[in-house]
Amino acid sequence: MSCLWFFLLFPLLVCLVPMHSKYTTDDDGSTHLTWTKDPSNILVIKKINALEVRKPFKQLVLYLCRYKERELSVTIESHAFEELKTDVEFSQVAPKLKKWSSDEGKDPFLALSDIDLVVCMGGDGTLLYLSSLFQEHVPPVLPVHIGSLGFLMTQAFADFKKALDRTLTVQADSVPLSVTTRARLDCELQLCSPKHGSVTQEEVNRKVSPSGYTVIGPRTRVSRMAALNEVVIDRGASPYLTGLELVCNGQFVADVQGDGVIIATPTGSTAYAAAAGGPMVEPSVPGIIVAPICPHSLSFRPIVVGLKRKLEVRVPMDSRVSAWVSCDGRNRQQVHPGDSVLITSHRWPMTCINNKATMPDWFTSLGECLQWNVRVKQKPFDYPSSP
């Protein structure tokens, strides 16, 4: 069984970079991280528009800028810098900080390519936002919980100094860090409907349309997005049932008649998919959850397919209405009859550093955040029962 886990997870692990991080897998499927070189380039992401995060964020940034072991290069977002620039204590370390914004430069994400470690402060939504910033490789992430739910955020802020010291100094001769490898989804939106208009020969030659989509044919534009939780195809504001076709590895599987369908990762199985009646799947399980949203069928139950399956959700030409697609609740786009959404396992997963280990952290989150299986325990008999 341990060999099976190794071969299923190996394609994910070999893709993880930077090269000075090393990953190992135990016989029980647990994954561990060690540094061959101590991380020095740190990106700190905070929850947006949250006053309660501002003070803890400042404390953490100050600790990194004054780190006693060695000098670190710390990057924060421009909006976070603007929030604290008038703070007296923060102004003392401000010259040492690097500022980053997705609005700056022609390719702002290129500036994130040398990041060794990301410290994510907030709730689950902040982790999803972080995933959207890294459409390709994601550095190891230390999730610090300061948010509403915090199901995915395993580190308490009260212990942030201990967690940072443990994370920043892990070498080959010390105890490795327990990590969770969270699979992501690669969502490819193919716009083939005549409603999108024709692609000019110039656009075909340049391989790009004015809207930014990649052009792969005379009528086909492609947009790609990464999802940590789920890809949702739904009926949007339409009052009618959405008519979708579900295809797996080129084979027709089912007609989806209802409000839509959720294609989720094990990480996303405790989010929207759980609300739609899907199973809650431990993050290390290599699978993809397919959960219909309010299907107009009593027998259409959620299913789990292998992580390497290639799923396609089509809007057939005879569909009464169009559909809408979104990844982790972002980049919502309309999908017309004739268009399709291709969903596969993303080659770059997200690696999150655990507080204890993957399985204990997950069951703790189930109980504390979702109140899983919370019930008053049955009282014993006051006297021995008869045989």
Side-chain angles (χ1 to χ4, degrees):
M1 189 64 173
S2 60
C3 292
L4 175 61
W5 277 106
F6 175 80
F7 284 112
L8 287 171
L9 292 175
F10 183 75
L12 297 177
L13 299 179
V14 296
C15 294
L16 293 169
V17 288
M19 294 304 292
H20 52 260
S21 57
K22 179 182 178 182
Y23 295 85
T24 56
T25 304
D26 294 342
D27 291 340
D28 63 355
S30 301
T31 307
H32 295 89
L33 160 70
T34 54
W35 304 101
T36 56
K37 178 184 177 183
D38 287 335
S40 58
N41 296 315
I42 316 298
L43 172 65
V44 185
I45 297 292
K46 66 179 281 292
K47 184 178 180 181
I48 300 174
N49 299 326
L51 292 176
E52 73 272 16
V53 183
R54 190 173 297 180
K55 183 177 179 180
F57 173 77
K58 185 188 77 170
Q59 294 176 4
L60 189 143
V61 170
L62 290 174
Y63 184 76
L64 288 174
C65 290
R66 298 167 177 170
Y67 194 58
K68 60 182 181 299
E69 298 295 332
R70 64 184 183 277
E71 186 173 351
L72 301 173
S73 174
V74 182
T75 302
I76 65 174
E77 292 184 280
S78 296
H79 70 82
F81 186 90
E82 293 299 317
E83 290 179 5
L84 291 169
K85 67 179 182 180
T86 57
D87 184 273
V88 176
E89 193 174 11
F90 181 81
S91 63
Q92 296 174 2
V93 300
K96 298 181 180 180
L97 295 171
K98 293 181 179 179
K99 293 184 292 182
W100 179 86
S101 172
S102 59
D103 300 327
E104 296 176 1
K106 294 182 179 180
D107 189 1
F109 300 99
L110 186 62
L112 300 179
S113 59
D114 62 344
I115 296 298
D116 300 324
L117 173 72
V118 182
V119 180
C120 184
M121 303 184 66
D124 294 351
T126 312
L127 196 65
L128 297 180
Y129 166 68
L130 169 62
S131 175
S132 71
L133 296 181
F134 293 89
Q135 291 294 307
E136 296 295 330
H137 159 249
V138 188
V141 179
L142 178 65
V144 179
H145 178 217
I146 309 177
S148 303
L149 188 60
F151 189 91
L152 308 178
M153 314 298 283
T154 56
Q155 306 286 344
F157 174 73
D159 301 323
F160 84 89
K161 292 182 181 180
K162 182 179 178 181
L164 282 173
D165 291 343
R166 179 169 55 95
T167 302
L168 293 171
T169 57
V170 174
Q171 293 281 332
D173 57 347
S174 60
V175 179
L177 292 168
S178 171
V179 297
T180 297
T181 303
R182 299 187 180 276
R184 298 196 297 168
L185 297 176
D186 186 0
C187 174
E188 181 179 294
L189 175 58
Q190 292 195 351
L191 305 179
C192 310
S193 170
K195 290 190 176 183
H196 298 293
S198 300
V199 179
T200 65
Q201 186 59 45
E202 181 184 357
E203 292 170 5
V204 173
N205 294 338
R206 291 191 297 112
K207 302 297 184 184
V208 65
S209 65
S211 58
Y213 291 103
T214 303
V215 175
I216 63 173
R219 269 181 41 198
T220 305
R221 305 169 178 84
V222 172
S223 172
R224 305 191 72 161
M225 299 166 284
L228 178 62
N229 262 5
E230 72 275 303
V231 177
V232 177
I233 302 98
D234 59 54
R235 63 187 176 92
S238 171
Y240 303 106
L241 289 175
T242 182
L244 304 172
E245 295 176 347
L246 178 63
V247 177
C248 181
N249 280 13
Q251 178 181 344
F252 175 80
V253 175
D255 284 313
V256 180
Q257 297 184 85
D259 283 357
V261 64
I262 302 168
I263 312 296
T265 64
T267 295
S269 69
T270 51
Y272 193 2
M280 292 188 291
V281 182
E282 205 233 327
S284 60
V285 175
I288 300 176
I289 296 93
V290 180
I293 307 172
C294 297
H296 200 251
S297 167
L298 298 178
S299 58
F300 194 172
R301 309 307 303 161
I303 60 174
V304 180
V305 300
L307 186 63
K308 296 303 178 183
R309 300 300 184 192
K310 297 180 180 179
L311 299 175
E312 181 179 1
V313 180
R314 303 170 181 164
V315 182
M317 292 299 298
D318 60 355
S319 177
R320 289 186 177 186
V321 295
S322 61
W324 290 81
V325 61
S326 62
C327 294
D328 291 340
R330 298 177 178 274
N331 302 318
R332 191 166 172 82
Q333 301 179 57
Q334 193 166 14
V335 188
H336 293 288
D339 296 338
S340 61
V341 182
L342 277 64
I343 303 160
T344 57
S345 172
H346 202 291
R347 70 190 186 107
W348 300 111
M350 175 182 283
T351 304
C352 294
I353 299 170
N354 298 323
N355 182 31
K356 296 178 181 177
T358 299
M359 194 169 66
D361 281 352
W362 189 68
F363 279 110
T364 298
S365 294
L366 281 181
E368 294 181 354
C369 300
L370 298 184
Q371 301 295 298
W372 178 64
N373 197 32
V374 173
R375 181 191 183 277
V376 176
K377 191 173 182 179
Q378 189 179 45
K379 294 181 179 180
F381 289 119
D382 294 330
Y383 51 87
S385 59
S386 58

